[in-house]
Short mmCIF file of all heavy atoms in Angstrom, two decimals:
data_model
loop_
_atom_site.label_atom_id
_atom_site.label_comp_id
_atom_site.label_asym_id
_atom_site.label_seq_id
_atom_site.Cartn_x
_atom_site.Cartn_y
_atom_site.Cartn_z
N PRO X 621 100.40 61.46 104.60
CA PRO X 621 101.17 60.76 103.58
C PRO X 621 100.74 61.22 102.17
O PRO X 621 99.57 61.13 101.80
CB PRO X 621 100.86 59.31 103.80
CG PRO X 621 100.30 59.23 105.19
CD PRO X 621 99.74 60.59 105.52
N PHE X 622 101.73 61.69 101.43
CA PHE X 622 101.45 62.28 100.13
C PHE X 622 100.80 61.31 99.16
O PHE X 622 99.83 61.66 98.47
CB PHE X 622 102.75 62.83 99.52
CG PHE X 622 102.57 63.26 98.09
CD1 PHE X 622 101.86 64.41 97.79
CD2 PHE X 622 103.09 62.51 97.06
CE1 PHE X 622 101.67 64.80 96.48
CE2 PHE X 622 102.91 62.90 95.74
CZ PHE X 622 102.20 64.05 95.45
N LYS X 623 101.28 60.08 99.07
CA LYS X 623 100.75 59.14 98.08
C LYS X 623 99.25 58.90 98.29
O LYS X 623 98.49 58.87 97.32
CB LYS X 623 101.51 57.81 98.13
CG LYS X 623 102.89 57.91 97.54
CD LYS X 623 103.58 56.57 97.54
CE LYS X 623 104.98 56.71 96.97
NZ LYS X 623 105.67 55.44 96.88
N PHE X 624 98.84 58.76 99.52
CA PHE X 624 97.42 58.54 99.81
C PHE X 624 96.59 59.75 99.38
O PHE X 624 95.57 59.61 98.70
CB PHE X 624 97.21 58.25 101.29
CG PHE X 624 95.76 58.17 101.67
CD1 PHE X 624 95.00 57.06 101.32
CD2 PHE X 624 95.15 59.21 102.35
CE1 PHE X 624 93.66 56.99 101.65
CE2 PHE X 624 93.81 59.15 102.68
CZ PHE X 624 93.07 58.04 102.33
N ILE X 625 97.03 60.93 99.76
CA ILE X 625 96.30 62.15 99.42
C ILE X 625 96.30 62.37 97.91
O ILE X 625 95.28 62.77 97.34
CB ILE X 625 96.91 63.36 100.16
CG1 ILE X 625 96.69 63.20 101.66
CG2 ILE X 625 96.31 64.67 99.67
CD1 ILE X 625 97.42 64.22 102.49
N TYR X 626 97.41 62.10 97.27
CA TYR X 626 97.51 62.30 95.83
C TYR X 626 96.52 61.40 95.08
O TYR X 626 95.76 61.85 94.23
CB TYR X 626 98.93 62.03 95.36
CG TYR X 626 99.13 62.17 93.87
CD1 TYR X 626 99.05 63.42 93.26
CD2 TYR X 626 99.39 61.07 93.08
CE1 TYR X 626 99.22 63.56 91.90
CE2 TYR X 626 99.57 61.19 91.71
CZ TYR X 626 99.47 62.44 91.12
OH TYR X 626 99.65 62.57 89.77
N PHE X 627 96.50 60.12 95.42
CA PHE X 627 95.58 59.20 94.75
C PHE X 627 94.12 59.49 95.12
O PHE X 627 93.23 59.36 94.28
CB PHE X 627 95.97 57.75 95.02
CG PHE X 627 97.21 57.34 94.30
CD1 PHE X 627 98.36 57.03 94.99
CD2 PHE X 627 97.25 57.30 92.91
CE1 PHE X 627 99.52 56.67 94.33
CE2 PHE X 627 98.40 56.95 92.23
CZ PHE X 627 99.54 56.62 92.94
N ALA X 628 93.87 59.92 96.33
CA ALA X 628 92.51 60.28 96.73
C ALA X 628 92.03 61.51 95.97
O ALA X 628 90.84 61.65 95.69
CB ALA X 628 92.46 60.54 98.23
N SER X 629 92.95 62.39 95.60
CA SER X 629 92.56 63.60 94.88
C SER X 629 91.97 63.29 93.51
O SER X 629 91.16 64.06 92.99
CB SER X 629 93.74 64.56 94.75
OG SER X 629 94.74 64.04 93.91
N PHE X 630 92.34 62.16 92.91
CA PHE X 630 91.73 61.78 91.64
C PHE X 630 90.23 61.53 91.82
O PHE X 630 89.41 61.89 90.99
CB PHE X 630 92.41 60.53 91.04
CG PHE X 630 93.74 60.82 90.44
CD1 PHE X 630 94.90 60.60 91.15
CD2 PHE X 630 93.84 61.31 89.14
CE1 PHE X 630 96.13 60.86 90.59
CE2 PHE X 630 95.07 61.58 88.56
CZ PHE X 630 96.23 61.35 89.30
N PHE X 631 89.88 60.91 92.93
CA PHE X 631 88.47 60.65 93.24
C PHE X 631 87.73 61.97 93.49
O PHE X 631 86.66 62.21 92.95
CB PHE X 631 88.35 59.74 94.46
CG PHE X 631 86.96 59.59 94.96
CD1 PHE X 631 86.03 58.83 94.28
CD2 PHE X 631 86.57 60.23 96.12
CE1 PHE X 631 84.73 58.70 94.75
CE2 PHE X 631 85.27 60.11 96.60
CZ PHE X 631 84.36 59.34 95.91
N PHE X 632 88.35 62.83 94.31
CA PHE X 632 87.70 64.10 94.65
C PHE X 632 87.63 65.05 93.47
O PHE X 632 86.75 65.89 93.39
CB PHE X 632 88.40 64.77 95.83
CG PHE X 632 88.19 64.03 97.12
CD1 PHE X 632 89.23 63.40 97.77
CD2 PHE X 632 86.92 63.96 97.69
CE1 PHE X 632 89.03 62.71 98.95
CE2 PHE X 632 86.71 63.28 98.87
CZ PHE X 632 87.76 62.66 99.51
N MET X 633 88.57 64.91 92.52
CA MET X 633 88.54 65.74 91.33
C MET X 633 87.24 65.48 90.56
O MET X 633 86.62 66.41 90.06
CB MET X 633 89.75 65.44 90.44
CG MET X 633 89.79 66.28 89.17
SD MET X 633 91.20 65.94 88.11
CE MET X 633 90.90 64.24 87.65
N GLY X 634 86.83 64.24 90.49
CA GLY X 634 85.59 63.89 89.81
C GLY X 634 84.37 64.47 90.49
O GLY X 634 83.33 64.66 89.86
N LEU X 635 84.48 64.77 91.75
CA LEU X 635 83.37 65.37 92.49
C LEU X 635 83.44 66.89 92.50
O LEU X 635 82.72 67.55 93.24
CB LEU X 635 83.38 64.85 93.94
CG LEU X 635 83.20 63.35 94.12
CD1 LEU X 635 83.36 62.97 95.58
CD2 LEU X 635 81.84 62.92 93.60
N GLY X 636 84.36 67.44 91.69
CA GLY X 636 84.51 68.89 91.64
C GLY X 636 85.37 69.43 92.77
O GLY X 636 85.27 70.60 93.12
N GLY X 637 86.23 68.60 93.30
CA GLY X 637 87.06 69.01 94.44
C GLY X 637 88.50 69.28 94.08
O GLY X 637 88.80 70.00 93.14
N ILE X 638 89.39 68.69 94.82
CA ILE X 638 90.82 68.95 94.74
C ILE X 638 91.44 68.28 93.51
O ILE X 638 91.23 67.10 93.27
CB ILE X 638 91.51 68.43 96.01
CG1 ILE X 638 90.91 69.11 97.24
CG2 ILE X 638 93.00 68.69 95.95
CD1 ILE X 638 91.31 68.49 98.54
N HIS X 639 92.21 69.03 92.76
CA HIS X 639 92.87 68.50 91.56
C HIS X 639 94.23 67.93 91.95
O HIS X 639 94.94 68.50 92.79
CB HIS X 639 93.04 69.63 90.54
CG HIS X 639 93.32 69.11 89.17
ND1 HIS X 639 94.57 68.72 88.78
CD2 HIS X 639 92.52 68.92 88.11
CE1 HIS X 639 94.52 68.31 87.53
NE2 HIS X 639 93.28 68.43 87.09
N PRO X 640 94.64 66.80 91.37
CA PRO X 640 95.93 66.19 91.69
C PRO X 640 97.13 67.12 91.47
O PRO X 640 98.11 67.04 92.21
CB PRO X 640 96.00 64.99 90.75
CG PRO X 640 94.59 64.67 90.42
CD PRO X 640 93.85 65.96 90.45
N VAL X 641 97.03 68.01 90.52
CA VAL X 641 98.14 68.95 90.27
C VAL X 641 98.37 69.83 91.50
O VAL X 641 99.50 70.12 91.86
CB VAL X 641 97.87 69.80 89.02
CG1 VAL X 641 98.90 70.89 88.86
CG2 VAL X 641 97.85 68.92 87.78
N ARG X 642 97.30 70.22 92.15
CA ARG X 642 97.44 71.04 93.36
C ARG X 642 98.12 70.27 94.48
O ARG X 642 98.86 70.84 95.28
CB ARG X 642 96.08 71.56 93.81
CG ARG X 642 95.47 72.50 92.81
CD ARG X 642 94.46 73.40 93.49
NE ARG X 642 93.88 74.33 92.56
CZ ARG X 642 94.38 75.52 92.28
NH1 ARG X 642 95.47 75.92 92.87
NH2 ARG X 642 93.79 76.32 91.43
N MET X 643 97.87 68.98 94.54
CA MET X 643 98.53 68.16 95.56
C MET X 643 100.03 68.09 95.29
O MET X 643 100.83 68.15 96.21
CB MET X 643 97.94 66.75 95.58
CG MET X 643 96.52 66.66 96.06
SD MET X 643 96.35 67.21 97.76
CE MET X 643 95.65 68.82 97.55
N LYS X 644 100.41 67.97 94.02
CA LYS X 644 101.84 67.92 93.69
C LYS X 644 102.52 69.24 94.04
O LYS X 644 103.68 69.26 94.45
CB LYS X 644 102.04 67.61 92.21
CG LYS X 644 101.89 66.16 91.88
CD LYS X 644 102.32 65.91 90.45
CE LYS X 644 102.38 64.43 90.16
NZ LYS X 644 102.86 64.17 88.81
N LYS X 645 101.81 70.35 93.87
CA LYS X 645 102.38 71.66 94.18
C LYS X 645 102.72 71.79 95.66
O LYS X 645 103.61 72.55 96.02
CB LYS X 645 101.42 72.77 93.78
CG LYS X 645 101.33 72.99 92.30
CD LYS X 645 100.37 74.14 92.01
CE LYS X 645 100.26 74.41 90.53
NZ LYS X 645 99.34 75.52 90.25
N LEU X 646 102.00 71.07 96.50
CA LEU X 646 102.25 71.16 97.94
C LEU X 646 103.60 70.61 98.35
O LEU X 646 104.15 71.02 99.37
CB LEU X 646 101.14 70.41 98.71
CG LEU X 646 99.77 71.05 98.69
CD1 LEU X 646 98.77 70.11 99.37
CD2 LEU X 646 99.79 72.39 99.38
N VAL X 647 104.14 69.68 97.57
CA VAL X 647 105.40 69.05 97.97
C VAL X 647 106.59 69.54 97.15
O VAL X 647 107.71 69.16 97.43
CB VAL X 647 105.31 67.51 97.89
CG1 VAL X 647 104.29 66.99 98.88
CG2 VAL X 647 105.00 67.04 96.49
N ARG X 648 106.35 70.40 96.16
CA ARG X 648 107.46 70.94 95.37
C ARG X 648 108.03 72.17 96.06
O ARG X 648 107.29 73.02 96.55
CB ARG X 648 106.97 71.37 93.99
CG ARG X 648 106.79 70.24 93.07
CD ARG X 648 106.65 70.75 91.66
NE ARG X 648 106.18 69.68 90.82
CZ ARG X 648 105.32 69.81 89.84
NH1 ARG X 648 104.82 70.99 89.57
NH2 ARG X 648 104.94 68.78 89.14
N PRO X 649 109.35 72.31 96.04
CA PRO X 649 109.92 73.53 96.62
C PRO X 649 109.63 74.73 95.74
O PRO X 649 109.52 74.61 94.52
CB PRO X 649 111.42 73.22 96.66
CG PRO X 649 111.63 72.14 95.66
CD PRO X 649 110.36 71.38 95.58
N ASN X 650 109.49 75.89 96.35
CA ASN X 650 109.18 77.12 95.63
C ASN X 650 110.36 78.07 95.57
O ASN X 650 110.19 79.26 95.30
CB ASN X 650 108.00 77.84 96.29
CG ASN X 650 106.72 77.07 96.13
OD1 ASN X 650 106.50 76.45 95.11
ND2 ASN X 650 105.88 77.09 97.15
N LEU X 651 111.54 77.57 95.84
CA LEU X 651 112.72 78.42 95.86
C LEU X 651 113.16 78.71 94.43
O LEU X 651 113.54 77.80 93.68
CB LEU X 651 113.85 77.73 96.63
CG LEU X 651 115.14 78.52 96.76
CD1 LEU X 651 114.89 79.81 97.53
CD2 LEU X 651 116.19 77.70 97.46
N ILE X 652 113.10 79.97 94.04
CA ILE X 652 113.50 80.39 92.70
C ILE X 652 114.65 81.37 92.85
O ILE X 652 114.51 82.41 93.50
CB ILE X 652 112.33 81.05 91.95
CG1 ILE X 652 111.19 80.06 91.82
CG2 ILE X 652 112.78 81.56 90.60
CD1 ILE X 652 109.91 80.67 91.30
N LEU X 653 115.77 81.05 92.24
CA LEU X 653 116.93 81.93 92.29
C LEU X 653 117.20 82.50 90.90
O LEU X 653 117.28 81.76 89.94
CB LEU X 653 118.16 81.15 92.77
CG LEU X 653 118.05 80.53 94.16
CD1 LEU X 653 119.27 79.67 94.46
CD2 LEU X 653 117.91 81.61 95.21
N PRO X 654 117.36 83.82 90.79
CA PRO X 654 117.60 84.43 89.49
C PRO X 654 119.08 84.40 89.09
O PRO X 654 119.51 85.18 88.25
CB PRO X 654 117.12 85.86 89.70
CG PRO X 654 117.42 86.13 91.13
CD PRO X 654 117.16 84.81 91.83
N THR X 655 119.85 83.50 89.66
CA THR X 655 121.29 83.46 89.42
C THR X 655 121.62 83.34 87.93
O THR X 655 122.48 84.08 87.42
CB THR X 655 121.92 82.28 90.18
OG1 THR X 655 121.50 82.34 91.54
CG2 THR X 655 123.42 82.33 90.11
N PHE X 656 120.96 82.45 87.23
CA PHE X 656 121.23 82.23 85.81
C PHE X 656 121.07 83.52 85.01
O PHE X 656 121.94 83.91 84.23
CB PHE X 656 120.32 81.14 85.26
CG PHE X 656 120.49 80.88 83.80
CD1 PHE X 656 121.59 80.18 83.32
CD2 PHE X 656 119.56 81.34 82.90
CE1 PHE X 656 121.74 79.95 81.96
CE2 PHE X 656 119.70 81.12 81.54
CZ PHE X 656 120.80 80.42 81.07
N LEU X 657 119.94 84.20 85.22
CA LEU X 657 119.69 85.44 84.49
C LEU X 657 120.63 86.56 84.93
O LEU X 657 121.08 87.36 84.11
CB LEU X 657 118.24 85.87 84.66
CG LEU X 657 117.20 84.95 84.02
CD1 LEU X 657 115.80 85.42 84.36
CD2 LEU X 657 117.39 84.88 82.52
N SER X 658 120.95 86.62 86.21
CA SER X 658 121.86 87.65 86.70
C SER X 658 123.25 87.48 86.12
O SER X 658 123.91 88.46 85.75
CB SER X 658 121.94 87.62 88.23
OG SER X 658 120.70 87.99 88.78
N GLU X 659 123.71 86.24 86.02
CA GLU X 659 125.04 85.98 85.46
C GLU X 659 125.11 86.36 83.99
O GLU X 659 126.17 86.73 83.49
CB GLU X 659 125.41 84.51 85.65
CG GLU X 659 125.71 84.16 87.09
CD GLU X 659 125.90 82.66 87.31
OE1 GLU X 659 125.68 81.87 86.36
OE2 GLU X 659 126.26 82.30 88.45
N LEU X 660 123.98 86.28 83.28
CA LEU X 660 123.94 86.66 81.87
C LEU X 660 123.69 88.15 81.67
O LEU X 660 123.55 88.62 80.54
CB LEU X 660 122.85 85.87 81.14
CG LEU X 660 123.09 84.38 80.99
CD1 LEU X 660 121.89 83.72 80.34
CD2 LEU X 660 124.34 84.12 80.16
N LYS X 661 123.62 88.89 82.79
CA LYS X 661 123.34 90.34 82.75
C LYS X 661 122.00 90.63 82.05
O LYS X 661 121.89 91.51 81.21
CB LYS X 661 124.47 91.11 82.06
CG LYS X 661 125.83 90.87 82.62
CD LYS X 661 125.94 91.42 84.02
CE LYS X 661 127.39 91.24 84.49
NZ LYS X 661 127.50 91.10 85.89
N TYR X 662 121.01 89.83 82.40
CA TYR X 662 119.67 90.00 81.83
C TYR X 662 119.16 91.40 82.12
O TYR X 662 119.21 91.87 83.25
CB TYR X 662 118.72 88.96 82.42
CG TYR X 662 117.32 89.04 81.89
CD1 TYR X 662 116.99 88.49 80.67
CD2 TYR X 662 116.32 89.69 82.61
CE1 TYR X 662 115.70 88.56 80.17
CE2 TYR X 662 115.03 89.77 82.12
CZ TYR X 662 114.73 89.21 80.90
OH TYR X 662 113.46 89.29 80.41
N PRO X 663 118.63 92.11 81.11
CA PRO X 663 118.11 93.47 81.34
C PRO X 663 116.70 93.44 81.93
O PRO X 663 115.72 93.26 81.21
CB PRO X 663 118.11 94.08 79.93
CG PRO X 663 117.92 92.91 79.02
CD PRO X 663 118.59 91.74 79.71
N TRP X 664 116.59 93.59 83.23
CA TRP X 664 115.29 93.56 83.90
C TRP X 664 114.48 94.77 83.47
O TRP X 664 114.98 95.88 83.36
CB TRP X 664 115.47 93.57 85.42
CG TRP X 664 116.32 92.44 85.91
CD1 TRP X 664 117.62 92.50 86.28
CD2 TRP X 664 115.93 91.08 86.06
NE1 TRP X 664 118.06 91.26 86.65
CE2 TRP X 664 117.05 90.36 86.53
CE3 TRP X 664 114.75 90.39 85.84
CZ2 TRP X 664 117.01 89.01 86.79
CZ3 TRP X 664 114.71 89.03 86.10
CH2 TRP X 664 115.83 88.35 86.57
N LYS X 665 113.18 94.58 83.21
CA LYS X 665 112.30 95.67 82.80
C LYS X 665 111.95 96.58 83.97
O LYS X 665 111.75 97.78 83.80
CB LYS X 665 111.01 95.13 82.19
CG LYS X 665 111.21 94.46 80.86
CD LYS X 665 109.87 94.01 80.29
CE LYS X 665 110.07 93.34 78.95
NZ LYS X 665 108.79 92.95 78.36
N TRP X 666 111.82 96.00 85.17
CA TRP X 666 111.44 96.75 86.35
C TRP X 666 112.31 96.35 87.53
O TRP X 666 112.81 95.23 87.60
CB TRP X 666 109.98 96.46 86.73
CG TRP X 666 109.02 96.71 85.64
CD1 TRP X 666 108.50 97.91 85.26
CD2 TRP X 666 108.45 95.73 84.76
NE1 TRP X 666 107.63 97.74 84.21
CE2 TRP X 666 107.58 96.41 83.87
CE3 TRP X 666 108.57 94.36 84.62
CZ2 TRP X 666 106.86 95.78 82.88
CZ3 TRP X 666 107.85 93.72 83.63
CH2 TRP X 666 107.01 94.43 82.78
N THR X 667 112.43 97.26 88.48
CA THR X 667 113.08 96.91 89.74
C THR X 667 112.04 96.17 90.59
O THR X 667 110.84 96.19 90.27
CB THR X 667 113.54 98.17 90.50
OG1 THR X 667 112.38 98.92 90.88
CG2 THR X 667 114.49 99.02 89.66
N LEU X 668 112.49 95.57 91.64
CA LEU X 668 111.56 94.87 92.53
C LEU X 668 110.54 95.86 93.09
O LEU X 668 109.34 95.56 93.15
CB LEU X 668 112.32 94.18 93.67
CG LEU X 668 111.48 93.49 94.73
CD1 LEU X 668 110.63 92.38 94.10
CD2 LEU X 668 112.34 92.95 95.84
N GLU X 669 111.00 97.03 93.49
CA GLU X 669 110.10 98.03 94.06
C GLU X 669 109.04 98.47 93.04
O GLU X 669 107.87 98.63 93.38
CB GLU X 669 110.90 99.25 94.55
CG GLU X 669 111.77 98.97 95.76
CD GLU X 669 113.08 98.28 95.41
OE1 GLU X 669 113.45 98.20 94.23
OE2 GLU X 669 113.72 97.78 96.35
N GLU X 670 109.46 98.66 91.78
CA GLU X 670 108.51 99.06 90.74
C GLU X 670 107.48 97.95 90.48
O GLU X 670 106.29 98.23 90.31
CB GLU X 670 109.25 99.36 89.44
CG GLU X 670 110.10 100.61 89.48
CD GLU X 670 111.00 100.74 88.27
OE1 GLU X 670 111.32 99.71 87.63
OE2 GLU X 670 111.40 101.88 87.98
N ALA X 671 107.94 96.72 90.45
CA ALA X 671 107.04 95.60 90.20
C ALA X 671 106.01 95.46 91.32
O ALA X 671 104.82 95.24 91.06
CB ALA X 671 107.84 94.31 90.03
N LEU X 672 106.46 95.60 92.56
CA LEU X 672 105.53 95.50 93.69
C LEU X 672 104.54 96.65 93.70
O LEU X 672 103.35 96.46 94.00
CB LEU X 672 106.31 95.43 95.01
CG LEU X 672 107.12 94.16 95.23
CD1 LEU X 672 107.94 94.28 96.50
CD2 LEU X 672 106.23 92.93 95.27
N ALA X 673 105.00 97.86 93.37
CA ALA X 673 104.11 99.01 93.32
C ALA X 673 103.06 98.83 92.22
O ALA X 673 101.87 99.16 92.42
CB ALA X 673 104.91 100.29 93.08
N ASP X 674 103.45 98.30 91.08
CA ASP X 674 102.52 98.05 89.99
C ASP X 674 101.48 97.01 90.39
O ASP X 674 100.28 97.16 90.13
CB ASP X 674 103.28 97.59 88.74
CG ASP X 674 102.36 97.34 87.57
OD1 ASP X 674 101.71 98.31 87.11
OD2 ASP X 674 102.28 96.18 87.12
N TRP X 675 101.94 95.95 91.04
CA TRP X 675 101.04 94.90 91.51
C TRP X 675 100.03 95.48 92.50
O TRP X 675 98.83 95.22 92.43
CB TRP X 675 101.87 93.79 92.14
CG TRP X 675 101.12 92.65 92.74
CD1 TRP X 675 99.82 92.30 92.53
CD2 TRP X 675 101.64 91.70 93.66
NE1 TRP X 675 99.50 91.18 93.27
CE2 TRP X 675 100.60 90.79 93.97
CE3 TRP X 675 102.88 91.51 94.25
CZ2 TRP X 675 100.78 89.73 94.84
CZ3 TRP X 675 103.05 90.45 95.12
CH2 TRP X 675 102.01 89.56 95.40
N LYS X 676 100.54 96.28 93.44
CA LYS X 676 99.66 96.87 94.45
C LYS X 676 98.64 97.81 93.82
O LYS X 676 97.47 97.84 94.24
CB LYS X 676 100.50 97.62 95.49
CG LYS X 676 99.72 98.11 96.67
CD LYS X 676 100.62 98.71 97.72
CE LYS X 676 99.84 99.11 98.95
NZ LYS X 676 100.71 99.63 100.01
N ALA X 677 99.05 98.56 92.78
CA ALA X 677 98.12 99.48 92.11
C ALA X 677 97.06 98.71 91.33
O ALA X 677 95.89 99.11 91.29
CB ALA X 677 98.90 100.40 91.17
N GLU X 678 97.46 97.60 90.72
CA GLU X 678 96.52 96.85 89.88
C GLU X 678 95.61 95.92 90.69
O GLU X 678 94.46 95.70 90.32
CB GLU X 678 97.29 96.04 88.84
CG GLU X 678 96.37 95.45 87.80
CD GLU X 678 97.04 95.27 86.46
OE1 GLU X 678 98.08 95.89 86.23
OE2 GLU X 678 96.50 94.49 85.66
N TYR X 679 96.12 95.37 91.78
CA TYR X 679 95.35 94.42 92.59
C TYR X 679 95.42 94.82 94.07
O TYR X 679 96.02 94.09 94.89
CB TYR X 679 95.87 93.00 92.41
CG TYR X 679 95.71 92.48 91.02
CD1 TYR X 679 96.78 92.51 90.11
CD2 TYR X 679 94.49 91.98 90.56
CE1 TYR X 679 96.64 92.04 88.82
CE2 TYR X 679 94.34 91.50 89.27
CZ TYR X 679 95.42 91.54 88.40
OH TYR X 679 95.26 91.08 87.13
N PRO X 680 94.81 95.93 94.47
CA PRO X 680 94.89 96.37 95.87
C PRO X 680 94.28 95.36 96.84
O PRO X 680 94.68 95.32 98.00
CB PRO X 680 94.13 97.70 95.89
CG PRO X 680 93.29 97.69 94.66
CD PRO X 680 94.00 96.80 93.66
N GLN X 681 93.35 94.53 96.37
CA GLN X 681 92.73 93.54 97.26
C GLN X 681 93.76 92.51 97.73
O GLN X 681 93.59 91.91 98.80
CB GLN X 681 91.53 92.85 96.59
CG GLN X 681 91.87 91.96 95.42
CD GLN X 681 91.99 92.67 94.07
OE1 GLN X 681 92.06 93.90 94.01
NE2 GLN X 681 92.01 91.91 92.99
N ASP X 682 94.81 92.28 96.97
CA ASP X 682 95.85 91.35 97.38
C ASP X 682 96.70 91.90 98.52
O ASP X 682 97.43 91.17 99.17
CB ASP X 682 96.78 91.01 96.21
CG ASP X 682 96.10 90.16 95.15
OD1 ASP X 682 94.97 89.70 95.39
OD2 ASP X 682 96.71 89.97 94.08
N TRP X 683 96.61 93.21 98.74
CA TRP X 683 97.43 93.87 99.74
C TRP X 683 96.63 94.29 100.97
O TRP X 683 97.15 94.97 101.84
CB TRP X 683 98.10 95.10 99.12
CG TRP X 683 99.05 94.72 98.03
CD1 TRP X 683 98.73 94.38 96.75
CD2 TRP X 683 100.45 94.59 98.14
NE1 TRP X 683 99.87 94.07 96.06
CE2 TRP X 683 100.94 94.20 96.89
CE3 TRP X 683 101.35 94.78 99.18
CZ2 TRP X 683 102.28 93.96 96.66
CZ3 TRP X 683 102.69 94.56 98.94
CH2 TRP X 683 103.14 94.16 97.69
N ALA X 684 95.38 93.88 101.05
CA ALA X 684 94.52 94.27 102.17
C ALA X 684 94.86 93.48 103.42
O ALA X 684 95.37 92.43 103.42
CB ALA X 684 93.07 94.07 101.81
#
């Protein structure tokens, strides 16, 4: 139950543990759609492939 865990996180935060913001992130949807920017013909700086290649080059440990 989210409410119990959320309120308990305030106690654990004081002990150097779980922060309440992290608990809220667990129940928020992560679906991001670029529809708004695409409809405005936003000029993307990189393609998806370029962005992933840059990420992999800069942080190879994330791809291990």
Side-chain angles (χ1 to χ4, degrees):
F622 171 72
K623 287 183 181 183
F624 174 75
I625 294 171
Y626 178 69
F627 288 114
S629 67
F630 285 97
F631 172 74
F632 290 113
M633 180 180 64
L635 299 175
I638 302 168
H639 197 279
V641 172
R642 295 203 179 271
M643 292 298 103
K644 281 189 171 183
K645 286 181 179 181
L646 290 174
V647 296
R648 282 194 193 141
N650 292 324
L651 182 62
I652 300 171
L653 300 174
T655 309
F656 178 75
L657 294 175
S658 294
E659 289 172 353
L660 293 176
K661 306 293 185 209
Y662 180 80
W664 303 102
K665 291 183 180 182
W666 304 280
T667 65
L668 176 61
E669 291 80 12
E670 291 170 336
L672 292 174
D674 181 63
W675 177 17
K676 188 174 184 177
E678 190 151 342
Y679 296 99
Q681 68 274 14
D682 290 352
W683 296 79

